[in-house]
Amino acid sequence: MTTPDERDESRAFRLAHVPGVIPDKWVRKWGERVPDVPLQLVRVSAAEAAEHVRDGHVDAVLLRLPTDGTGLHAIPLYTEATVVVVEKEHLLTVADEVSVDDLADDVVLHPHDDTLPWERLPGQPAIARPDTTAGAIELVAAGVGVLVVPQSLARLHHRKSLTYRPLIGTEGLPVPQSQVALAWPEGETTDLMEEFIGIVRGRTVNSTRGRGPTPKQQKSSTSAREQSASTGGKQRSRSGRPGKPGRPGRPGKPGRRGKGGSGGKGGGKGRRP
């Protein structure tokens, strides 16, 4: 019969993420830290992300702020750059970055799932709002207008005929940015949740929070310390040995005297008177 703790340890940790957010590096780290608990990825739309974790369908979610955070804890992780997606032949592509003023004559599409908190959209409004960002990308490719999105979404919906440029604001019209955050239900910060929080925050495996290192990780860490100590001892032993005394130099041989005189070989025989 399994105990509640054993059942909890054997279940998967379910992590949802919105389009464009790539959790691969954290998933790999989870596999190293918590090999006995699989991590299941669930892709959700931006509109349903917060509700998905509130309803208990997943343990945590990587979403974009701002969002309705009722009943949720949220930790901002990083801020995304905002870019404008255009056709490759568009005049805006001649510049390395684009100002909102440069969009004055362009139709700027505004999909219903847009996560950027605009006070006022730049450019000209479209006749109708696309339902999704993917649908807006289709319209950009058709030459209907341009689209402002977080850079990760521009990469997600990449097309050969499209490109993007960083968008900068002005004093009168700042450009909003989205933040990617980790969210989970209030009052449900389990050991596994603490473990994942530690991973995204860069905590070490020996952190006091979370489940702590597994026996295998402890053994590996201990072996590494012992090996380091052993290597250090050998190095100290080698460096502490007294050097061998040098051999005394051999005395030099005296120079040979030349024949017929006190000089060297240059001295010849004397002439008879």
Side-chain angles (χ1 to χ4, degrees):
M1 179 177 179
T2 58
T3 65
D5 288 340
E6 289 173 341
R7 286 195 298 270
D8 181 69
E9 292 294 323
S10 63
R11 74 177 184 86
F13 183 81
R14 298 159 300 171
L15 176 68
H17 63 102
V18 296
V21 175
I22 303 175
D24 293 2
K25 62 179 180 180
W26 297 321
V27 173
R28 287 194 298 269
K29 186 63 70 174
W30 177 274
E32 297 169 2
R33 296 273 188 92
V34 197
D36 55 324
V37 180
L39 189 151
Q40 294 179 352
L41 289 177
V42 181
R43 182 167 172 172
V44 295
S45 68
E48 64 182 357
E51 201 63 35
H52 216 64
V53 71
R54 262 195 297 264
D55 290 346
H57 296 302
V58 293
D59 298 290
V61 61
L62 293 166
L63 46 67
R64 289 187 178 87
L65 300 178
T67 189
D68 179 12
T70 304
L72 298 178
H73 289 296
I75 300 174
L77 301 177
Y78 59 90
T79 300
E80 297 183 287
T82 302
V83 301
V84 55
V85 181
V86 299
E87 292 180 284
K88 282 189 174 179
E89 293 78 14
H90 199 289
L91 290 175
L92 294 175
T93 59
V94 300
D96 292 332
E97 60 183 19
V98 176
S99 167
V100 289
D101 290 341
D102 298 328
L103 303 179
D105 297 328
D106 286 282
V107 172
V108 178
L109 302 167
H110 189 205
H112 285 289
D113 63 354
D114 183 19
T115 58
L116 294 173
W118 288 100
E119 294 181 4
R120 175 173 58 88
L121 274 175
Q124 302 297 317
I127 297 175
R129 293 182 64 181
D131 289 332
T132 64
T133 297
I137 290 288
E138 296 277 354
L139 295 176
V140 175
V144 174
V146 301
L147 176 65
V148 179
V149 290
Q151 184 172 323
S152 63
L153 286 178
R155 289 175 174 171
L156 176 67
H157 297 289
H158 171 71
R159 288 185 171 212
K160 291 183 179 180
S161 62
L162 302 179
T163 186
Y164 60 85
R165 293 290 186 272
L167 184 65
I168 58 175
T170 62
E171 185 176 349
L173 183 56
V175 172
Q177 292 179 310
S178 74
Q179 278 189 314
V180 172
L182 173 67
W184 70 98
E186 289 181 349
E188 296 186 23
T189 309
T190 62
D191 284 349
L192 291 177
M193 190 66 236
E194 282 285 6
E195 193 72 47
F196 192 74
I197 293 170
I199 288 172
V200 299
R201 283 188 159 179
R203 294 179 194 153
T204 65
V205 69
N206 294 317
S207 172
T208 56
R209 297 189 181 186
R211 304 192 317 161
T214 63
K216 183 177 180 180
Q217 291 168 334
Q218 287 178 330
K219 183 178 179 180
S220 176
S221 178
T222 302
S223 298
R225 287 196 300 269
E226 290 176 350
Q227 183 177 2
S228 176
S230 175
T231 303
K234 290 180 180 179
Q235 290 176 343
R236 286 193 298 272
S237 176
R238 284 198 295 267
S239 63
R241 290 172 61 184
K244 294 182 179 180
R247 294 182 178 179
R250 295 181 179 179
K253 294 182 179 181
R256 295 174 60 187
R257 296 180 63 184
K259 296 180 180 180
S262 60
K265 292 182 179 180
K269 295 182 179 180
R271 297 176 63 184
R272 291 183 180 180

